Amino acid sequence: MALPPTTTSRTTARDYDVCIVGAGIAGALVAYKLGRAGIRTVILEAGRRRPPPPRMDYMESRLRGEDPWFTDDPDRDVFTNGGEIDYRLNHNRVKAVGGSTMHWIGYTPRFHADDFRMKSRFGIANDWPISYDELETYYGEAEVELGVAGADDNPFASPRSRPFPLPPFPIGYEERIVAEAANALGIKFHTMPQARNSVAYGGRPQCLTYSVCRTCPIGAKYSADVHVALAEATGNVTVLSEANVTRLETGAAGKVRRAVYIDAEGRESDCAAGTFVVAAHAVESARLLLLSASGAHPHGLANSNGLVGRFFMEHRRQNRTVHLDRPVYPHRKGFVTTFSEQYHHVDRATGAAFWLYGESGGAWYTHIVDDVVARSGLWGEELAEHLRKRLAGEYGRTLVLGSNAEPLPSESNRVELDPDVKDRFGNPCPKLFYSLSDYEHTAYAAGDEVMHGLADAMGARGVGPITPGFGGHHAGTCRMGNEPERSVVDRNLKAHEVENLYVVGSSNFVTLSIVNPTLTIAALSLRLGDHLTGRRGANGRAG
Amino acid sequence: MNVADRTETSGSMPHDGSRSPDSPRSTITRRAFIAGSAAVVAGTGVLGLHGAERARTSRLPRLDTDTGTGTLTELEMLTVLALAEVLVPVRLLPSRSECERVVARAAAREPGILREYRSAAALLDRQASRSGSASFAELPLADRDRILDGMLWRYHITDDSSLSDHVARVSRRLERVFQSEEERRLRNLVVPDLLRRLYRAAAPQLIGYGNLPGVPGDPREYTLPPRGA
């Protein structure tokens, strides 16, 4: 049930130079840059700040098979679907200080140079207004900020100008089985870059393989609350959590004057600033611009061309469980160390791109424990021996092979406002329209053929059915571009139509590549930070 | 045995009662009649037990989540930890402080657990006093095991899952007749709950793992087979 704010009395936060909406990785990195440059900045974050102590509780919850990071406020985070896919939005995002990096898996491959020039290279999709080369230095900077462990052993990657800051994680025992089979088929596996400490780094400890990475209890995996804290430590950045921004209001000059938000006590407040940066992830960024419709902007802010919310993209993945005759000793870590971008490097004019990985698979042992405990009535040594037999016979002889397909931008995949369903504050909730394209289906079929070949090469005694899933990689909705009629923001991420409004994050993506988006989000955010501080010239290029 | 195994067993049974055209004609002998009658009686009994089992399931003790969370007293905690030492071989048990943390966390955060553990501790201590001991925790391990043996009504499993199930069902029917509500709650709620919590970390050790989920480990161990495998 939608509830309005408990009071309409308005309080005004003090003025800031910059107001950022969203304390995920994009907002955190922009704020960090601004704070270091002495620019007074406020971040308004809808979610709560979850300090370190509960992380142990979260780990316990994860061990029970739950994910404590999913929404703690379903009335706030209500959404609907209108497309072919019944997309579970709240299982693929986190609202909290630190955003979705609070439960991400931590993989940080870079996009390939071709991902930025799909139209000119392959005649499909669109080109970005910036090239890989323009972003390359920011990729390197992002790797240093996040602490990326990796090795320069990927023959399919685009050139890099600096080494990884941390050494790579060695390949896992079970993954070696996959990589060796792939090698026999001529498929090259290489290191997975990841923002996880292979050695102590950035004041955070080395990974100790708790195997519950989405709820890493010691902070060995990077999460954006790190840069929120660093930004606050500059003394120039203020973070207001549980501040749900409901609209941006413009003034007579057409500029955004203030962000209106509802605080934790249900009071409506506002925040004035000279510049506004919307960094609320692809769904909520678009929704906020649409919610900010006014007489001067009847279709929403920066939306006279109707493209806000359009070109929504996501990675749909497919897995198959492979049953082997030998133990693979799974679940001794929670991440993959190797994967293959060999099929990233295909001619997309005739084929479709995907990436390939193999990892610990099958159910955890806990269901076997539960079953034996519930049915046996044993205890002590007798129970231990019976459990040992069951575990030795049934557990740890499966791997999961997976492929992630590249989506192409489609105008019909979109985020709209649903006038019929309101959130807790009485605002229309986001409505998603999401379908798969023929291009993705082609990629899945090609990926599946390779997975079957790999299973055969491993001597599998059985292959399970396809298990589909999603990456939680929302993108598009506020795409960047040089043409105001075909994009929402320009190459510097400034809204074409609003002088002091920027949008940053995966919402800017023109294409989504095959790999995880977070390092590209980080690179774009660091680039915007430099643009806003004016340290590298107005065009955003290194000067 | 898992569901697939059961299905396989079922699949080996004849699909129907028809004889193939070339099967030998037979007459009913006395031995066949007796065997058939016994099968009918056994079948009826099994069906009856199935029905009873369904009825019983609805009467199994349930966690009362309306009761509050909180902290066990020091003595109650000692008794629960003494119970843990009987349930899980000491070589597999997490450290005593870790066991205490697991139990305390459950009591403090999960509604209903505190009441069950508290009640179980009182029951165990009463049983111990009958043996002349001040508390369950003060008894030697073998004596604690004997006390449990008298209350837990083992329904020993076998490699034949269907037989095991039937034994379990009979055992569970009998417990309703011969056991107190307190004992049934110990058997059906407290013991399984404690075992699940303790084996969550302990189980991988049974197959040689040194690195356990939720426990810090050697960051290189995952590159090799487990040391104990």
Side-chain angles (χ1 to χ4, degrees):
Chain A
M1 182 179 163
L3 296 174
T6 55
T7 171
T8 53
S9 68
R10 176 171 289 186
T11 58
T12 302
R14 74 182 180 95
D15 291 354
Y16 294 91
D17 297 319
V18 179
C19 171
I20 298 173
V21 180
I25 190 166
L29 288 172
V30 172
Y32 170 62
K33 284 247 171 175
L34 296 176
R36 285 178 48 168
I39 295 173
R40 292 172 309 133
T41 301
V42 64
I43 307 180
L44 304 176
E45 166 56 48
R48 288 190 291 127
R49 186 191 292 266
R50 306 199 206 189
R55 296 269 184 104
M56 279 292 180
D57 291 348
Y58 289 180
M59 183 182 77
E60 295 279 335
S61 166
R62 187 72 182 156
L63 287 169
R64 291 195 298 269
E66 305 158 1
D67 193 326
W69 284 111
F70 293 151
T71 185
D72 54 357
D73 192 345
D75 290 335
R76 178 195 63 191
D77 299 335
V78 62
F79 67 94
T80 58
N81 278 291
E84 176 187 299
I85 292 174
D86 187 23
Y87 189 71
R88 300 172 74 186
L89 178 62
N90 287 336
H91 284 70
N92 290 288
R93 66 174 179 179
V94 171
K95 284 190 181 180
V97 172
S100 292
T101 61
M102 301 309 290
H103 92 137
W104 72 320
I105 195 65
Y107 304 144
T108 52
R110 297 179 176 193
F111 281 14
H112 192 276
D114 285 347
D115 297 331
F116 294 85
R117 53 188 185 200
M118 294 279 282
K119 183 73 174 175
S120 53
R121 183 89 168 79
F122 305 114
I124 59 173
N126 304 96
D127 288 351
W128 292 48
I130 57 172
S131 66
Y132 173 85
D133 290 343
E134 285 178 273
L135 208 54
E136 200 282 328
T137 54
Y138 289 103
Y139 269 133
E141 186 177 344
E143 287 167 348
V144 170
E145 292 296 339
L146 273 60
V148 172
D152 194 6
D153 63 351
N154 180 352
F156 314 108
S158 294
R160 50 186 303 121
S161 59
R162 63 202 297 181
F164 286 98
L166 281 77
F169 282 88
I171 187 168
Y173 177 82
E174 78 281 29
E175 293 174 288
R176 193 176 302 122
I177 295 170
V178 181
E180 287 173 358
N183 194 45
L185 297 174
I187 303 169
K188 165 76 176 170
F189 270 61
H190 42 77
T191 302
M192 170 63 87
Q194 44 200 302
R196 188 182 335 272
N197 283 357
S198 55
V199 294
Y201 182 83
R204 294 178 291 116
Q206 178 186 13
C207 169
L208 295 175
T209 59
Y210 277 83
S211 305
V212 285
C213 294
R214 291 191 189 277
T215 52
C216 178
I218 58 172
K221 180 192 67 175
Y222 173 84
S223 48
D225 56 338
V226 167
H227 275 91
V228 170
L230 289 171
E232 289 177 302
T234 65
N236 297 311
V237 176
T238 301
V239 179
L240 300 180
S241 58
E242 298 180 81
N244 289 271
V245 179
T246 55
R247 64 185 184 276
L248 301 174
E249 288 186 354
T250 52
K255 291 183 176 181
V256 178
R257 282 193 308 141
R258 61 191 182 189
V260 178
Y261 65 95
I262 297 171
D263 67 18
E265 281 74 43
R267 293 172 306 202
E268 188 172 270
S269 306
D270 66 7
C271 176
T275 299
F276 289 80
V277 177
V278 176
H281 221 325
V283 172
E284 296 294 344
S285 287
R287 179 179 176 229
L288 178 58
L289 297 186
L290 295 173
L291 285 174
S292 301
S294 63
H297 304 276
H299 305 295
L301 266 183
N303 192 35
S304 61
N305 60 14
L307 292 183
V308 169
R310 298 277 171 173
F311 304 105
F312 174 78
M313 292 176 283
E314 158 70 307
H315 282 135
R316 187 168 180 269
R317 65 169 181 263
Q318 58 178 9
N319 294 335
R320 279 192 188 273
T321 300
V322 175
H323 302 275
L324 303 174
D325 282 327
R326 53 180 163 161
V328 299
Y329 308 113
H331 303 136
R332 290 185 293 162
K333 58 179 172 51
F335 52 92
V336 306
T337 61
T338 183
F339 77 123
S340 177
E341 281 197 70
Q342 184 151 330
Y343 299 96
H344 195 169
H345 221 46
V346 298
D347 180 358
R348 270 98 130 190
T350 55
F354 60 92
W355 68 300
L356 198 63
Y357 62 95
E359 62 175 333
S360 289
W364 278 38
Y365 55 85
T366 46
H367 74 287
I368 298 176
V369 172
D370 289 351
D371 186 49
V372 171
V373 165
R375 294 180 60 233
S376 75
L378 299 176
W379 69 89
E381 288 292 351
E382 280 181 287
L383 175 65
E385 178 55 19
H386 188 73
L387 196 48
R388 188 194 64 74
K389 284 183 183 169
R390 282 280 306 268
L391 289 168
E394 297 174 31
Y395 172 66
R397 289 159 193 265
T398 56
L399 286 167
V400 166
L401 298 179
S403 66
N404 280 11
E406 176 183 47
L408 292 183
S410 165
E411 199 165 336
S412 61
N413 283 342
R414 63 195 187 277
V415 177
E416 289 184 355
L417 298 182
D418 189 335
D420 298 324
V421 181
K422 306 284 176 61
D423 69 7
R424 181 154 62 84
F425 312 112
N427 289 314
C429 78
K431 184 173 188 176
L432 273 69
F433 295 81
Y434 175 35
S435 304
L436 299 179
S437 67
D438 289 344
Y439 179 87
E440 284 159 289
H441 286 300
T442 301
Y444 291 130
D448 200 31
E449 191 178 332
V450 174
M451 290 197 294
H452 274 290
L454 267 177
D456 288 344
M458 285 189 285
R461 60 178 168 82
V463 179
I466 284 180
T467 309
F470 294 97
H473 304 156
H474 314 146
T477 74
C478 297
R479 58 169 22 192
M480 60 194 301
N482 291 323
E483 304 84 21
E485 65 277 9
R486 294 300 301 158
S487 53
V488 176
V489 297
D490 66 15
R491 67 191 327 275
N492 292 320
L493 309 184
K494 188 186 77 62
H496 288 298
E497 298 174 20
V498 185
E499 195 57 37
N500 64 339
L501 174 64
Y502 292 78
V503 183
V504 64
S506 55
S507 58
N508 305 135
F509 289 11
V510 180
T511 55
L512 187 52
S513 181
I514 61 169
V515 296
N516 309 62
T518 304
L519 194 75
T520 304
I521 297 171
L524 285 174
S525 305
L526 292 168
R527 180 172 173 273
L528 174 61
D530 277 356
H531 172 73
L532 291 175
T533 57
R535 284 165 53 184
R536 297 202 179 188
N539 65 0
R541 293 177 181 169
Chain B
M1 287 284 178
N2 57 27
V3 173
D5 293 327
R6 287 181 195 162
T7 306
E8 202 170 300
T9 306
S10 308
S12 68
M13 300 288 283
H15 293 296
D16 55 49
S18 61
R19 274 187 291 127
S20 61
D22 57 351
S23 59
R25 188 165 182 270
S26 62
T27 55
I28 300 176
T29 63
R30 177 178 296 181
R31 190 164 52 179
F33 176 77
I34 291 170
S37 300
V40 168
V41 170
T44 306
V46 167
L47 286 173
L49 283 175
H50 272 293
E53 173 64 9
R54 276 198 296 276
R56 183 203 63 81
T57 304
S58 64
R59 291 195 294 272
L60 270 180
R62 290 176 187 278
L63 205 59
D64 183 358
T65 52
D66 290 335
T67 60
T69 56
T71 309
L72 292 167
T73 66
E74 196 173 331
L75 287 177
E76 287 167 343
M77 178 62 82
L78 281 175
T79 303
V80 172
L81 295 181
L83 172 63
E85 288 172 356
V86 186
L87 295 177
V88 179
V90 174
R91 64 187 158 80
L92 297 172
L93 266 184
S95 67
R96 192 172 176 82
S97 62
E98 175 64 10
C99 288
E100 189 169 342
R101 190 186 68 81
V102 167
V103 171
R105 184 186 294 266
R109 294 173 190 273
E110 298 176 36
I113 293 289
L114 175 68
R115 192 185 92 159
E116 298 301 337
Y117 277 38
R118 183 164 278 168
S119 166
L123 172 65
L124 291 169
D125 282 340
R126 272 203 314 278
Q127 295 288 335
S129 70
R130 288 176 191 165
S131 314
S133 173
S135 72
F136 185 71
E138 286 183 8
L139 285 172
L141 207 56
D143 291 344
R144 282 182 254 160
D145 192 56
R146 262 194 295 279
I147 286 179
L148 280 190
D149 211 16
M151 290 194 294
L152 290 193
W153 287 79
R154 292 189 195 205
Y155 31 104
H156 289 285
I157 51 175
T158 69
D159 288 338
D160 180 336
S161 67
S162 57
L163 181 60
S164 174
D165 281 351
H166 291 316
V167 171
R169 286 189 189 109
V170 171
S171 170
R172 281 173 169 159
R173 285 195 82 196
L174 290 174
E175 79 176 20
R176 284 177 44 222
V177 178
F178 295 108
Q179 285 197 293
S180 69
E181 176 67 9
E182 255 182 322
E183 288 170 335
R184 291 183 67 220
R185 297 188 81 82
L186 173 75
R187 168 172 162 165
N188 289 290
L189 294 175
V190 175
V191 168
D193 182 78
L194 196 52
L195 280 170
R196 285 193 194 97
R197 290 180 196 281
L198 297 172
Y199 267 113
R200 191 177 298 150
Q205 293 179 69
L206 290 167
I207 49 172
Y209 277 32
N211 279 16
L212 310 174
V215 179
D218 175 355
R220 297 239 160 198
E221 195 200 277
Y222 71 77
T223 64
L224 301 166
R227 283 189 293 269

